[in-house]
Amino acid sequence: AWQHLCEHYEEKGKQPIAYLIGKLFRGTLSDESLLEQQLNALCHKARTLVSLSFPLDDSLVAATIVISLPTLYATLR
């Protein structure tokens, strides 16, 4: 599956990497959806970036998640 994703995204150049970076770092999690699903989506974006040879440290992804938490989870920040 990862090989297929790599081939799919590599065919389109750097644009998918820029798109995924924007979605990962500029997104905000919502109170209206299940948090687990939203976290899984963020982790999927991070794994996809890593598979496209864009290195991401786990601590950076964790910080992104904490910053993106909705106000309902302010105590976790």
Side-chain angles (χ1 to χ4, degrees), residues 19-20 23-24 40-50 56:
Y19 172 78
L20 288 169
K23 287 292 192 181
L24 182 65
N40 287 340
L42 282 177
C43 291
H44 175 72
K45 288 175 182 71
R47 284 191 306 269
T48 303
L49 282 166
V50 169
L56 284 175

Side-chain angles (χ1 to χ4, degrees), residues 3 11-13 19 25 30 33-34 43 46 52-54 58 61-62 65 72:
Q3 183 62 32
E11 293 173 4
K12 298 185 173 49
Y19 172 78
F25 293 110
S30 169
S33 300
L34 294 175
C43 291
L52 294 172
S53 300
F54 188 87
D58 287 342
V61 176
I65 290 171
L72 180 67

Side-chain angles (χ1 to χ4, degrees), residues 4 23 26 28 33 35 37 46 62-63 76:
H4 177 69
K23 287 292 192 181
R26 293 179 42 196
T28 303
S33 300
L35 186 58
Q37 291 174 347
L76 291 176

